[in-house]
Amino acid sequence: MKKMILLWMIITVGCSCSRKNFETTDLSSQETNGVIYVNDSRKEIADIADSDIQKIAKASVALIDKENIQEDGNSVSLHAQNLRQEFNLCSNQRYAEQQSIANCSGILISPRHVLTAGHCIDEATCGQYKMVFDFRHDTRFYSPESETYHMPRSHVYSCKKITARVTDVGWTAQDYSIVELDRPVTDRAPATLSTRSLKSQESVFTLGYPLGIALKYAHGKVRRDLNANTYLMAIDTFAGNSGSPIFDESGKTLIGLLSGGESDFTYDPQYSCNMIKICPSEQCLGERVFKTSTIASILKKLN
């Protein structure tokens, strides 16, 4: 599964930001998405005081390979290698001990539909991934004793079919999939779509699963409006954030999906491990964000 995603990354001009299988020790040259812009803004959702963001976070979806989900009656458990093991991440890096479980991120856009990046899922992989709500690193869902995440089985949904999908090659192309779920979601509200255009330096935030770990909040800014399909942004995202919803900070409405960007890591030869890449202001290319306003007419028909 990860090999297919890696192939998609190789043939594009930019890079994908979905998880994949890293087979080298030095990952600094790998074309993934992810970087810290000046300071690491990632936070656990439980640490966000804004009630509106907490509500939106309930609509966030982790795309998880069904092989990483164990069912036990009315509950499920999630367990995988941590970031130090999976990516040879240096032990002094943030979240090094959290487990890399999710492959991509997404957002609920109607009671029956999830929106994610086009390179994350297609008809061939529809049956492979589960859509999981509330994959969070807090005491409600995580047991430090067993190092396992637990949640009700009702929080896990299957892909019934792909309603629409486009994944074009290039940094200014469309990249989205609309996933129809196997049943309606009744215990949380879909995200609200915005059709307005953002200007340079406007503040934004995202909710997603960086490097496959539990849900994180991160904020950033618009660098520039590239074309009708794409924003260029400085926002702290990584592999696993593909399909992460981007919201304007003022209105807290959905304005885009993360598609690709900078590489994740720099290599530390002294300790033979990978460090999270940090970009001083304006010194890195930025993150590619697909404008959801370009498919507003499609999304509105789903409600």
Side-chain angles (χ1 to χ4, degrees), residues 188-243:
R188 60 200 72 216
T192 301
L193 177 68
S194 173
T195 56
R196 82 177 185 91
S197 296
L198 300 189
K199 298 178 181 179
S200 175
Q201 298 306 305
E202 281 201 61
S203 295
V204 295
F205 69 90
T206 189
L207 300 166
Y209 306 88
L211 297 173
I213 62 176
L215 184 63
K216 301 290 182 287
Y217 161 95
H219 68 79
K221 290 185 180 295
V222 178
R223 279 194 170 171
R224 63 179 184 269
D225 188 335
L226 287 183
N227 72 350
N229 293 323
T230 311
Y231 289 116
L232 190 65
M233 295 188 179
I235 190 166
D236 300 333
T237 53
F238 297 83
N241 274 119
S242 272

Side-chain angles (χ1 to χ4, degrees), residues 79-91:
H79 182 80
Q81 289 187 320
N82 61 36
L83 296 187
R84 180 175 46 77
Q85 298 163 330
E86 180 79 3
F87 297 100
N88 189 33
L89 195 66
C90 298
S91 59

Side-chain angles (χ1 to χ4, degrees), residues 17-301:
C17 44
S18 51
R19 265 189 74 203
K20 61 188 186 301
N21 188 19
F22 293 100
E23 298 176 345
T24 61
T25 301
D26 180 356
L27 304 182
S28 58
S29 63
Q30 297 284 340
E31 287 192 350
T32 64
N33 177 88
V35 68
I36 294 299
Y37 289 88
V38 186
N39 296 307
D40 192 346
S41 68
R42 292 174 296 167
K43 294 181 180 180
E44 301 289 0
I45 289 300
D47 295 332
I48 301 298
D50 191 310
S51 60
D52 290 330
I53 295 178
Q54 288 285 352
K55 182 179 178 181
I56 295 169
K58 286 183 64 65
S60 182
V61 181
L63 278 68
I64 299 179
D65 193 308
K66 64 182 181 181
E67 295 179 1
N68 292 332
I69 301 175
Q70 291 75 48
E71 298 182 358
D72 182 16
N74 291 325
S75 66
V76 300
S77 60
L78 313 173
H79 182 80
Q81 289 187 320
N82 61 36
L83 296 187
R84 180 175 46 77
Q85 298 163 330
E86 180 79 3
F87 297 100
N88 189 33
L89 195 66
C90 298
S91 59
N92 65 348
Q93 299 294 281
R94 289 187 77 195
Y95 309 122
E97 299 304 317
Q98 288 196 20
Q99 295 171 42
S100 179
I101 296 173
N103 281 66
C104 278
S105 307
I107 188 72
L108 188 71
I109 51 168
S110 89
R112 287 294 295 260
H113 297 91
V114 163
L115 181 65
T116 186
H119 66 269
C120 283
I121 189 170
D122 57 21
E123 287 289 357
T125 56
C126 175
Q128 187 68 29
Y129 289 113
K130 298 292 185 180
M131 314 295 133
V132 180
F133 293 95
D134 295 325
F135 171 33
R136 304 180 181 208
H137 195 76
D138 59 47
T139 53
R140 290 178 300 163
F141 304 107
Y142 179 68
S143 170
E145 293 79 14
S146 62
E147 297 184 342
T148 303
Y149 292 88
H150 299 277
M151 63 195 61
R153 191 173 180 177
S154 60
H155 291 196
V156 180
Y157 292 73
S158 297
C159 170
K160 181 178 179 180
K161 68 177 182 180
I162 304 299
T163 300
R165 177 177 180 265
V166 176
T167 178
D168 294 329
V169 173
W171 263 72
T172 58
Q174 294 191 358
D175 181 27
Y176 71 92
S177 281
I178 299 173
V179 180
E180 181 176 340
L181 303 176
D182 62 321
R183 63 191 191 279
V185 178
T186 59
D187 62 344
R188 60 200 72 216
T192 301
L193 177 68
S194 173
T195 56
R196 82 177 185 91
S197 296
L198 300 189
K199 298 178 181 179
S200 175
Q201 298 306 305
E202 281 201 61
S203 295
V204 295
F205 69 90
T206 189
L207 300 166
Y209 306 88
L211 297 173
I213 62 176
L215 184 63
K216 301 290 182 287
Y217 161 95
H219 68 79
K221 290 185 180 295
V222 178
R223 279 194 170 171
R224 63 179 184 269
D225 188 335
L226 287 183
N227 72 350
N229 293 323
T230 311
Y231 289 116
L232 190 65
M233 295 188 179
I235 190 166
D236 300 333
T237 53
F238 297 83
N241 274 119
S242 272
S244 288
I246 308 292
F247 299 90
D248 71 283
E249 196 163 76
S250 58
K252 297 181 175 61
T253 50
L254 179 66
I255 57 91
L257 291 178
L258 193 77
S259 182
E262 291 284 343
S263 60
D264 287 340
F265 304 107
T266 58
Y267 187 65
D268 186 336
Q270 180 179 358
Y271 296 102
S272 301
C273 58
N274 293 298
M275 305 274 289
I276 297 298
K277 183 177 179 179
I278 298 176
C279 281
S281 180
E282 302 297 327
Q283 291 190 22
C284 289
L285 186 60
E287 310 304 306
R288 182 171 74 252
V289 173
F290 167 64
K291 297 179 182 179
T292 46
S293 60
T294 64
I295 56 171
S297 60
I298 298 174
L299 300 180
K300 288 177 180 179
K301 291 178 181 177

